């Protein structure tokens, strides 16, 4: 569903917006998912909190710590997700330790029963992920691949040979976080990936406002993933109206690109 939905939207000329929400950051975090869908999200990335998040910057770490302190667990998050449908694809992002502890077969089954369409597992190396990808594919769970600015052209092609859902272009060589100025690597990685695949290409990590979203789309990306800029506003106590206004800024920038 993830790849088909995003491909269909792209065919109709729509630029893609995928906001990130940390599960369990608030008691009513599912209402945040509803909000981003109402404001034009084409898919939603749901973070499952983990105690040792190697890719998460300060904002996402703080959101994860808040969720863990509230008692969020992988199974509680998936149980909550199971209670609701949102009308757009759901992509879970977390670390492989969680799935390894659960067992691949059980983890994939729990994800699918919870309505999850795709997964992002940043610490599962490409070379060691074949078994996971095979098991997930059998259950129509799409495993999204990440490509960083340091990835060679040869390795990009190798990763793209197994990519599904969409391609997550990493905008800068750093952990997640807002940036005042868009890193040059964000537009460069979009331009490098675009001619190599027919899959939707989305750029994340460091996309902080509408102007930056428009820039990466101008470089060839089909859309953006936005996490820290949204979660920081939430953690700072901004109102739902303020969060909606930020999402509207992103949506308008992409629609006008």
């Amino acid at each position: 569903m993830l790849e088909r939905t995003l491909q269909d939207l792209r065919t109709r000329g729509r630029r893609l917006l995928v906001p990130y929400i940390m599960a369990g950051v608030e008691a009513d975090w599912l209402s945040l998912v509803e909000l981003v869908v109402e404001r034009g999200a084409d898919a939603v990335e749901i973070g499952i909190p983990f105690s040792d998040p190697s890719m998460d910057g300060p904002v996402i770490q703080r959101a994860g710590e808040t969720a863990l302190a509230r008692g969020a667990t992988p199974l509680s998050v998936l149980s909550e997700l199971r209670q609701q449908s949102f009308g757009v694809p759901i992509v879970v992002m977390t670390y492989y330790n969680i799935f390894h502890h659960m067992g691949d077969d059980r983890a994939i089954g729990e994800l699918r029963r919870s309505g999850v369409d795709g997964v992002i597992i940043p610490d599962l190396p490409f070379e060691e992920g074949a078994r996971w990808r095979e098991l997930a594919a059998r259950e129509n769970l799409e495993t999204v691949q990440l490509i960083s600015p340091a990835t060679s052209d040869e390795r990009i092609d190798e990763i793209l040979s197994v990519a599904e859902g969409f391609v997550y272009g990493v905008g800068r060589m750093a952990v997640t976080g807002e940036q005042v100025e868009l890193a040059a690597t964000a537009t460069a990685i979009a331009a490098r990936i675009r001619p190599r695949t027919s899959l939707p290409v989305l750029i994340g990590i460091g996309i902080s406002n509408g102007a930056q979203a428009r820039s990466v789309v101008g470089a060839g990306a089909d859309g953006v993933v936005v996490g820290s800029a949204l979660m920081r506003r939430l953690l700072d106590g901004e109102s739902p109206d303020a969060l909606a206004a930020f999402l509207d800024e992103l949506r308008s920038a992409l629609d006008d690109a």
Side-chain angles (χ1 to χ4, degrees):
M1 177 180 176
L2 174 63
E3 182 174 324
R4 186 176 69 245
T5 298
L6 297 186
Q7 289 277 32
D8 287 348
L9 291 168
R10 186 177 67 164
T11 299
R12 298 204 296 269
R14 184 174 171 89
R15 306 299 191 182
L16 305 171
L17 173 61
V18 180
Y20 170 100
I21 301 290
M22 175 62 78
V25 67
E26 290 187 342
D28 193 18
W29 65 274
L30 292 175
S31 69
L32 298 170
V33 182
E34 290 180 331
L35 174 66
V36 300
V37 173
E38 289 171 3
R39 310 316 292 196
D42 299 300
V44 183
E45 182 182 342
I46 304 290
I48 293 181
F50 180 58
S51 57
D52 300 295
S54 57
M55 187 176 170
D56 296 354
V59 170
I60 302 299
Q61 282 190 35
R62 186 174 149 214
E65 290 165 1
T66 301
L68 290 171
R70 292 193 59 261
T73 68
L75 290 178
S76 72
V77 166
L78 294 176
S79 176
E80 288 183 88
L81 270 179
R82 207 170 294 154
Q83 299 168 17
Q84 202 162 332
S85 60
F86 300 98
V88 302
I90 297 296
V91 185
V92 156
M93 182 278 184
T94 196
Y95 296 88
Y96 184 64
N97 187 283
I98 287 176
F99 298 145
H100 179 69
H101 179 73
M102 200 180 291
D104 288 354
D105 287 314
R106 183 188 176 200
I108 291 165
E110 294 285 351
L111 289 162
R112 290 301 288 142
R113 279 191 291 277
S114 303
V116 175
D117 302 290
V119 289
I120 301 169
I121 314 173
D123 61 340
L124 180 60
F126 168 76
E127 290 79 3
E128 298 176 25
R131 181 175 182 276
W132 168 273
R133 292 194 298 270
E134 179 182 350
L135 293 173
R138 287 180 194 168
E139 301 300 326
N140 296 316
L141 180 69
E142 297 168 29
T143 304
V144 174
Q145 302 295 319
L146 293 99
I147 294 177
S148 84
T151 306
S152 69
D153 288 348
E154 292 74 18
R155 188 170 173 82
I156 289 177
D157 291 337
E158 191 174 19
I159 293 171
L160 290 176
S161 70
V162 301
E164 51 189 356
F166 65 89
V167 181
Y168 193 132
V170 176
R172 65 192 188 108
M173 293 295 294
V175 295
T176 60
E178 289 181 86
Q179 296 295 300
V180 175
E181 294 186 5
L182 183 68
T185 47
T187 51
I189 193 64
R192 287 179 64 202
I193 298 171
R194 176 67 286 156
R196 290 181 144 82
T197 181
S198 60
L199 287 171
V201 177
L202 278 70
I203 304 299
I205 304 185
I207 307 301
S208 307
N209 55 50
Q212 294 178 359
R214 191 182 301 115
S215 292
V216 295
V217 166
D222 297 298
V224 294
V225 180
V226 178
S228 293
L230 178 62
M231 295 308 298
R232 191 264 302 161
R233 286 170 168 80
L234 176 74
L235 293 169
D236 286 350
E238 293 193 12
S239 67
D241 286 346
L243 298 178
F246 175 61
L247 291 161
D248 289 349
E249 174 196 335
L250 295 170
R251 184 71 266 168
S252 295
L254 291 169
D255 290 344
D256 293 342

